[in-house]
Amino acid sequence: MASKTPIIGVTGGIASGKSTVARAFARLGIPWVDADDTAREVVEPGEPALAEIAARYGQRVLQADGRLDRRALREIVFAAPEERRWLESVTHPRIRERLVERLAAFRRGEAPYALLVSPLLFESGQAALVDRRLVIDVPESVQIARTARRDDVDEAQARAIVAAQMPREERLQRADDVIDNAGDEAGLAEQVAALDRRYRALAGLPGSR
Ligand code: ATP
């Protein structure tokens, strides 16, 4: 591999455990950037993307303090594919630009490898930015139960969100590595530790223990 610090893309459906996995890697000293955080950054006040969104939809997508009203924007694009595409054309290139900068900094840095955590790794083309793709896999029933519990939505709502996402099989087909997160957090930590050893070896560095 040409670059010094391999980048591992981490993805999975809603409530599959991406953040939990990222925290487990972070405990082993691995840095990460979250595409969701970056997506929020590019629409902060003062950012050109927010100005474009406000110019298209007006005050109804802004809160009193000038910040984006995400719920209002979500309602507009939810049932309007054309609006969703427009919004993505405004935000995605900017998200990608920032991610590219962050990943370049990781590649110049001292970490043995680094993570890009992104729910839309495959859908957004961000998979091309990483060296390996790690899918966090859980059966849909587990996803639905964990979403309902965490987000305080009912099962039907959770089921609808899962159904709107990339099918589990398609995600798995694109994976280089898979974590099975149907079990408990101890099982998850063991899988993360095993992958950590492999990823350190990828970077040509000695294992963690
Ligand atoms: P999203 O994409 O929706 O932000 P995510 O993929 O980052 O979600 P997490 O937030 O890490 O998922 O996990 C979803 C929920 O499931 C959380 O409440 C988390 O505590 C719980 N969870 C994750 N892994 C496990 C596990 N192995 N056992 C039990 N609960 C878990």
Side-chain angles (χ1 to χ4, degrees):
M1 202 166 295
S3 54
K4 187 172 161 249
T5 305
I7 306 289
I8 313 299
V10 179
T11 193
I14 184 168
S16 55
K18 297 177 291 297
S19 304
T20 307
V21 164
R23 283 195 296 273
F25 277 107
R27 281 195 287 275
L28 302 175
I30 302 307
W32 52 291
V33 59
D34 185 324
D36 271 353
D37 294 341
T38 308
R40 277 188 284 273
E41 284 169 25
V42 304
V43 291
E44 276 173 5
E47 293 289 339
L50 182 59
E52 285 188 44
I53 292 165
R56 188 173 181 94
Y57 301 118
Q59 287 298 323
R60 66 190 162 134
V61 295
L62 296 179
Q63 299 174 357
D65 63 0
R67 303 187 76 82
L68 182 64
D69 184 338
R70 308 181 145 271
R71 178 183 291 250
L73 184 61
R74 225 179 4 251
E75 275 168 19
I76 292 172
V77 302
F78 184 70
E82 269 183 44
E83 297 306 318
R84 177 182 291 274
R85 277 194 291 277
W86 178 83
L87 181 63
E88 288 174 354
S89 78
V90 168
T91 55
H92 282 190
R94 291 177 167 115
I95 295 167
R96 189 183 177 89
E97 196 177 306
R98 263 175 218 225
L99 289 176
V100 165
E101 280 169 20
R102 295 291 302 274
L103 298 182
F106 287 149
R107 288 190 194 279
R108 287 192 302 270
E110 295 302 316
Y113 62 95
L115 310 181
L116 164 59
V117 180
S118 176
L120 299 177
L121 188 75
F122 299 126
E123 297 87 333
S124 67
Q126 289 162 6
L129 302 176
V130 304
D131 300 290
R132 291 188 76 79
R133 293 138 201 97
L134 168 59
V135 166
I136 315 305
D137 182 55
V138 285
E140 288 184 356
S141 56
V142 173
Q143 256 186 299
I144 291 163
R146 286 182 186 163
T147 301
R149 191 172 339 125
R150 184 194 59 183
D151 299 344
D152 195 23
V153 294
D154 64 36
E155 256 193 48
Q157 283 170 296
R159 193 177 301 280
I161 297 168
V162 170
Q165 295 189 331
M166 177 180 276
R168 183 182 178 194
E169 287 310 315
E170 208 176 318
R171 213 181 271 120
L172 284 172
Q173 275 168 16
R174 300 181 191 209
D176 298 302
D177 308 308
V178 176
I179 283 182
D180 172 0
N181 192 25
D184 59 17
E185 292 213 23
L188 184 64
E190 270 174 36
Q191 294 178 72
V192 167
L195 280 171
D196 177 65
R197 286 190 287 273
R198 283 182 45 205
Y199 293 154
R200 283 174 195 262
L202 265 185
L205 293 168
S208 55
R209 60 190 65 209

Coordinates of all heavy atoms in Angstrom, one line a residue, residues 4-5 21-22 45-46 52 65 90 102 113 120 127 142 146 170 180 189 203:
K4 N 1.1 5.9 3.8 CA 1.7 5.5 5.1 C 0.6 5.0 6.1 O 0.8 3.9 6.7 CB 2.4 6.7 5.7 CG 3.2 6.3 6.9 CD 4.1 7.5 7.4 CE 4.5 7.3 8.8 NZ 3.9 8.3 9.7
T5 N -0.4 5.7 6.2 CA -1.4 5.3 7.2 C -2.7 4.8 6.5 O -3.4 5.6 5.9 CB -1.8 6.5 8.0 OG1 -0.6 7.1 8.6 CG2 -2.8 6.2 9.1
V21 N -18.4 0.9 17.8 CA -17.2 0.3 17.2 C -16.1 1.4 17.2 O -14.9 1.1 17.6 CB -17.4 -0.2 15.8 CG1 -16.2 -0.5 15.1 CG2 -18.3 -1.5 15.9
A22 N -16.4 2.6 16.8 CA -15.4 3.7 16.7 C -14.8 3.9 18.1 O -13.6 4.1 18.2 CB -16.0 4.9 16.1
P45 N -23.7 28.0 10.6 CA -23.8 29.4 10.2 C -22.4 29.9 9.7 O -21.4 29.6 10.2 CB -24.1 30.1 11.5 CG -24.9 29.0 12.3 CD -24.2 27.7 12.0
G46 N -22.5 30.6 8.6 CA -21.3 31.2 7.9 C -20.8 30.3 6.8 O -20.0 30.7 6.0
E52 N -26.7 28.7 0.6 CA -27.5 28.1 -0.6 C -28.8 27.5 -0.2 O -29.8 27.7 -0.9 CB -26.6 27.1 -1.3 CG -25.4 27.8 -2.1 CD -24.7 26.7 -3.0 OE1 -25.4 25.9 -3.6 OE2 -23.5 26.8 -3.0
D65 N -32.1 31.5 15.7 CA -30.7 31.9 15.9 C -29.9 31.8 14.6 O -28.7 31.9 14.6 CB -30.0 31.1 17.0 CG -30.0 29.6 16.7 OD1 -30.4 29.2 15.6 OD2 -29.4 28.8 17.5
V90 N -25.4 20.1 -3.1 CA -24.8 21.2 -2.4 C -23.9 20.7 -1.3 O -22.8 21.3 -1.0 CB -26.0 22.1 -1.8 CG1 -25.5 23.1 -0.8 CG2 -26.7 22.8 -2.9
R102 N -9.2 15.8 6.2 CA -9.0 15.1 7.4 C -8.2 13.8 7.2 O -7.3 13.5 8.0 CB -10.3 14.7 8.1 CG -11.1 16.0 8.6 CD -10.4 16.7 9.7 NE -10.2 15.9 10.9 CZ -11.1 15.7 11.8 NH1 -12.3 16.3 11.8 NH2 -10.9 14.9 12.9
Y113 N -3.2 3.3 11.8 CA -4.2 3.4 10.8 C -5.3 4.3 11.4 O -5.2 4.7 12.5 CB -4.8 2.0 10.4 CG -5.4 1.3 11.6 CD1 -6.8 1.3 11.8 CD2 -4.7 0.5 12.5 CE1 -7.4 0.7 12.9 CE2 -5.2 -0.1 13.6 CZ -6.6 -0.1 13.8 OH -7.2 -0.7 14.8
L120 N -23.1 6.4 5.0 CA -23.3 6.3 3.6 C -22.0 6.1 2.8 O -21.8 6.7 1.8 CB -24.0 7.6 3.1 CG -25.3 7.9 3.7 CD1 -25.9 9.3 3.2 CD2 -26.3 6.8 3.4
A127 N -16.4 5.4 -0.3 CA -15.7 4.2 -0.2 C -14.4 4.3 -1.0 O -13.4 3.7 -0.7 CB -16.5 3.0 -0.7
V142 N -32.6 -6.9 15.0 CA -31.7 -6.3 16.1 C -31.7 -4.8 15.8 O -31.8 -4.0 16.8 CB -30.3 -6.9 16.1 CG1 -29.4 -6.2 17.1 CG2 -30.4 -8.4 16.5
R146 N -32.9 -2.0 18.5 CA -31.9 -1.0 19.0 C -32.3 0.4 18.6 O -32.2 1.3 19.4 CB -30.5 -1.3 18.6 CG -30.0 -2.6 19.4 CD -28.5 -2.9 19.0 NE -28.1 -4.1 19.6 CZ -27.1 -4.9 19.3 NH1 -26.3 -4.4 18.3 NH2 -26.8 -6.0 19.9
E170 N -26.4 -6.3 0.2 CA -25.7 -5.5 -0.7 C -24.4 -4.9 0.0 O -23.3 -4.8 -0.5 CB -26.6 -4.4 -1.2 CG -26.2 -3.9 -2.6 CD -27.2 -2.8 -3.1 OE1 -28.4 -3.0 -2.9 OE2 -26.7 -1.8 -3.6
D180 N -19.6 -8.8 13.4 CA -21.0 -9.2 13.7 C -21.3 -8.6 15.0 O -20.8 -9.0 16.1 CB -21.0 -10.8 13.7 CG -22.3 -11.4 14.2 OD1 -23.2 -10.6 14.6 OD2 -22.4 -12.6 14.3
A189 N -15.9 -6.1 21.4 CA -14.6 -5.7 21.8 C -13.5 -6.7 21.3 O -12.5 -6.3 20.8 CB -14.5 -5.5 23.3
A203 N -0.3 -1.9 8.2 CA 0.5 -0.7 8.1 C 2.0 -1.1 8.3 O 2.9 -0.2 8.4 CB 0.1 0.2 9.3

